[in-house]
């Protein structure tokens, strides 16, 4: 399916919308007022492959800390603002590359106008970040409404804010419409797609613990991205931000939207399996992070599936009773005693993947 | 989107196809020849909510063990057969509720006919289980073909087998077309859907380590189920079968295809969060398994999101500096010192969820 045509906005050097690659975002879990801790967490998140980072700005000290944080990081920073328009102005002043607000909780229109005007001067975009939970307060949502009703209310609110932004000549807008229910979220973005060409920030909010959240985000974002919706995304997990980034990357990879990344295929094992596939796969996955050249790797459990199914991989191993096999480009290159299989495979992996210290 | 119209087959007492709920499958990782170990694992898998279990049948001893295994379990059993048609006959004889074969690796046509005839006498269905890896061997797949080409080959092969089954008056067929590449899998099922009305067993094969596999399966199965494709599913993970079942359930829940299940929403936390949300969420999740009555639960990190966003939940907690809040049906029912918050919440959870030993 073709991608929805969206206008382009810039968050620092990262392009959002148009034909730009879909960027991955995450949010720090540190106290933003503690610049050192926040910088250190962002560095970890950068390493995991994050494109844009968001920080909470609960008070003036946090807003001012952005100056220092920006100096210590490479990726653009989004300031997350609630309630107080002054915090948005301070964050913009401190060098935030983008602001995220829910105009509904900022208060009077003149306050939102102040933010628009400051963002315009600073040439930074604003994300209108709505979620199903907050429209309860600000748009008269009632409990236990159905997905289409909640989605329609989210969209109506977003459309109202978009019009207000446009009336004030602000067009550097990104939109998010998150609900904790996956299909409500999907429904809302689908509806909104028909109303404007602003880029979408995709996400399912408060998505649950690590596995549940991963499933909800993968299902929801998977469906939308497959329909061509979405220009940037955040996976919300009750887990470390680096995990959010990892899941985001895996979602894009599964959809074929991230090229040139390594890929690991692991046999789920069955009664035929006679070696510790999960243990080996974990270790191979760790080693793959070091690869200079992206590779398709297969870790297979037995001779039934191994030789045939691992053939697609650039490099693969298949475990066997006492000896395992190593494949390259569909051809067996080595037969190795089981106890040396992993060691020999990793040696081959480093060579093929152009890791320097082999 | 409406569900694809499929004919109904029965795997034991479990209906597959038509309007039947989408059933969840998993596969044992024990040695099938060890009936006691296999029964014990299946009991765990049953408890996790699995509807149908598959076991590998690598030899005659394994096939015969099915008699004993069937006596110790409640859910229907599928025998997974490779290469040797005699193992299929033995498994059917031993009481398997369904057989899974790739006709391409069984050999001569008369051998497949023997299986069809035995399955027909026993009134059990057969899954034609193809995967992209195996067609390399059996259908001339070449390395590095594109997704549409591989998908087309899978579908052509499946259609050929279906015709052969029909020519031999066998119609109790289920079809799976798995690839380790998510979008190849989706493409194959979409194509096949246009050619027949046999129910689909969905899956992405060798899907990777726990998180990667969860993402691939959630994206692929999410897209297909959302398009109305799929009657039964297996999530393949390099992890315990109970994890496969859990992910399968979460996928169906995310799509709104499993009603009457409890749901946990967890705030992903941010710089505003001052309590251990992940720790609390894990404990709450464990307690939720005991609920008699399904509940929508929210575990929120702060006053900004807590009161508004947890309102949709039947029961929720919001952490705060020194005191937390407990919500019920959108109303605050208790303010509790932080150190007692979890204890008090679980007490309320058990009461509301009708757990007996409160």
């Amino acid at each position: 399916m073709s991608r929805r045509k969206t206008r382009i906005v810039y968050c620092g050097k990262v392009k959002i919308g148009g034909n730009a690659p879909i960027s991955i975002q995450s949010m720090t879990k540190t106290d933003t007022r503690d610049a050192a801790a926040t910088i250190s967490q962002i560095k970890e998140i950068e390493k995991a492959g994050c494109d844009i980072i968001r920080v909470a700005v609960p008070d003036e000290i946090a807003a001012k800390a952005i100056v220092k944080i920006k100096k210590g990081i490479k990726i653009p920073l989004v300031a997350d603002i609630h309630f107080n328009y002054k915090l948005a102005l301070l964050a913009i002043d401190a060098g935030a590359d983008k602001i995220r607000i829910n105009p509904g909780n900022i208060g009077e229109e003149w306050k939102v106008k102040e933010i628009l005007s400051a963002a315009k001067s600073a040439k930074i975009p604003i994300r209108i970040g709505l979620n199903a939970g907050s429209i309860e307060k600000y748009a008269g949502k009632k409990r236990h409404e159905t997905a289409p009703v909640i989605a329609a209310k989210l969209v109506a609110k977003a459309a109202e804010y978009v019009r207000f932004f446009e009336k004030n000549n602000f067009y550097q807008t990104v939109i998010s419409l998150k609900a904790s229910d996956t299909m409500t979220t999907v429904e809302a973005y689908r509806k909104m797609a028909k109303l404007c060409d602003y880029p979408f920030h995709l996400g399912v909010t408060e998505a649950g613990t690590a596995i549940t959240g991963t499933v909800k985000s993968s299902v929801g974002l998977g469906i939308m991205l497959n329909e061509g919706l979405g220009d940037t995304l955040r996976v919300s997990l009750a887990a470390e931000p680096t995990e959010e980034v990892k899941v985001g990357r895996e979602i894009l990879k599964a959809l074929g939207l991230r090229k040139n990344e390594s890929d690991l295929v692991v046999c789920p094992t069955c009664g035929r399996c006679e070696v510790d596939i999960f243990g080996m796969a974990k270790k191979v996955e760790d080693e793959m992070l070091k690869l200079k050249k992206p590779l398709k790797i297969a870790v297979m459990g037995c001779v039934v599936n191994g030789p045939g199914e691992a053939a697609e991989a650039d490099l693969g191993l298949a475990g066997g009773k006492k000896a395992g096999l190593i494949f390259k480009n569909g051809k067996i290159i080595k037969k190795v005693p089981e106890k040396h299989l992993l060691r020999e495979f990793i040696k081959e992996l480093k060579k093929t993947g152009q890791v320097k210290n082999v």
Side-chain angles (χ1 to χ4, degrees), chain A:
Chain A
M1 213 161 294
S2 65
R3 186 165 164 190
R4 170 176 171 253
K5 280 205 167 62
T6 54
R7 71 177 73 193
I8 294 163
V9 309
Y10 282 88
C11 176
K13 59 186 184 309
V14 176
K15 213 162 122 174
I16 300 173
N19 287 319
I22 290 151
S23 47
I24 295 175
Q25 307 201 23
S26 186
M27 190 167 184
T28 52
K29 296 190 193 286
T30 50
D31 184 337
T32 309
R33 292 167 293 196
D34 183 345
T38 303
I39 289 170
S40 146
Q41 186 168 65
I42 295 174
K43 280 176 181 295
E44 284 301 311
I45 303 172
E46 282 175 347
K47 228 189 289 172
C50 188
D51 302 303
I52 298 170
I53 189 68
R54 180 157 51 113
V55 302
V57 182
D59 62 21
E60 289 193 15
I61 305 169
K64 286 173 181 161
I66 291 174
V67 178
K68 203 166 166 189
I69 294 167
K70 283 277 297 174
K71 282 180 189 147
I73 66 173
K74 290 190 197 117
I75 54 176
L77 179 147
V78 182
D80 195 58
I81 309 292
H82 282 267
F83 308 125
N84 188 344
Y85 81 104
K86 281 187 192 154
L87 296 176
L89 304 184
L90 284 170
I92 294 170
D93 215 41
D97 298 292
K98 183 177 161 194
I99 297 290
R100 181 257 167 171
I101 55 168
N102 170 1
N105 76 23
I106 295 296
E108 297 91 322
E109 287 195 348
W110 67 267
K111 291 178 179 169
V112 179
K113 276 190 200 173
E114 290 276 324
I115 299 175
L116 293 178
S117 154
K120 211 169 166 184
S121 302
K123 293 193 173 123
I124 64 167
I126 296 177
R127 168 157 67 98
I128 298 176
L130 301 190
N131 60 55
S134 64
I135 62 161
E136 173 125 20
K137 263 200 208 142
Y138 308 109
K141 179 177 159 299
K142 291 180 191 69
R143 299 188 71 247
H144 298 312
E145 288 178 332
T146 61
V149 173
I150 300 170
K153 283 194 178 178
L154 271 169
V155 170
K157 259 300 166 210
E160 179 190 321
Y161 297 141
V162 162
R163 277 194 302 272
F164 182 77
F165 278 33
E166 289 175 345
K167 220 173 66 187
N168 289 280
N169 297 313
F170 193 90
Y171 301 94
Q172 296 298 94
T173 309
V174 177
I175 297 168
S176 68
L177 306 162
K178 303 183 184 182
S180 66
D181 178 69
T182 309
M183 294 313 293
T184 304
T185 308
V186 170
E187 191 72 17
Y189 282 99
R190 279 179 182 156
K191 272 189 208 294
M192 196 74 210
K194 292 177 189 150
L195 302 181
C196 68
D197 70 348
Y198 293 108
F200 286 165
H201 166 116
L202 300 185
V204 178
T205 196
E206 287 100 39
T209 54
I211 283 290
T212 312
T214 298
V215 172
K216 278 187 172 183
S217 287
S218 303
V219 168
L221 273 52
I223 291 171
M224 292 188 280
L225 290 163
N226 182 247
E227 293 176 6
L229 305 181
D231 302 282
T232 182
L233 63 84
R234 181 204 175 188
V235 172
S236 295
L237 294 181
E240 291 308 306
T242 48
E243 279 301 303
E244 297 188 344
V245 173
K246 188 179 169 184
V247 171
R249 282 173 55 185
E250 292 297 332
I251 292 173
L252 293 176
K253 273 167 63 182
L255 288 151
L257 294 170
R258 279 235 155 170
K259 309 288 182 196
N260 293 320
E261 293 221 11
S262 286
D263 200 18
L264 173 64
V265 159
V266 185
C267 163
T269 83
C270 64
R272 283 185 299 270
C273 183
E274 300 172 290
V275 292
D276 174 23
I277 285 301
F278 303 168
M280 288 203 281
K282 273 306 270 176
K283 279 175 190 145
V284 168
E285 196 173 41
D286 289 345
E287 293 295 326
M288 284 171 65
L289 290 172
K290 305 174 194 160
L291 299 182
K292 291 275 173 296
K293 183 186 160 194
L295 292 177
K296 188 163 183 186
I297 305 296
V299 174
M300 310 298 287
C302 74
V303 289
V304 174
N305 291 308
E309 300 189 9
E312 188 70 12
D314 297 312
L315 201 63
L317 73 81
K321 268 177 199 178
K322 265 153 197 167
L325 299 171
I326 298 178
F327 299 89
K328 197 169 176 172
N329 302 324
K331 296 217 165 52
I332 298 171
I333 56 165
K334 252 182 211 170
K335 187 170 172 181
V336 191
E338 201 212 314
K339 62 175 176 174
H340 298 142
L341 180 59
L342 187 66
R343 196 188 66 195
E344 286 301 310
F345 184 75
I346 287 173
K347 212 191 271 178
E348 196 54 48
L349 180 67
K350 286 181 171 172
K351 206 168 76 187
T352 315
Q354 300 169 358
V355 180
K356 271 179 191 149
N357 58 335
V358 184

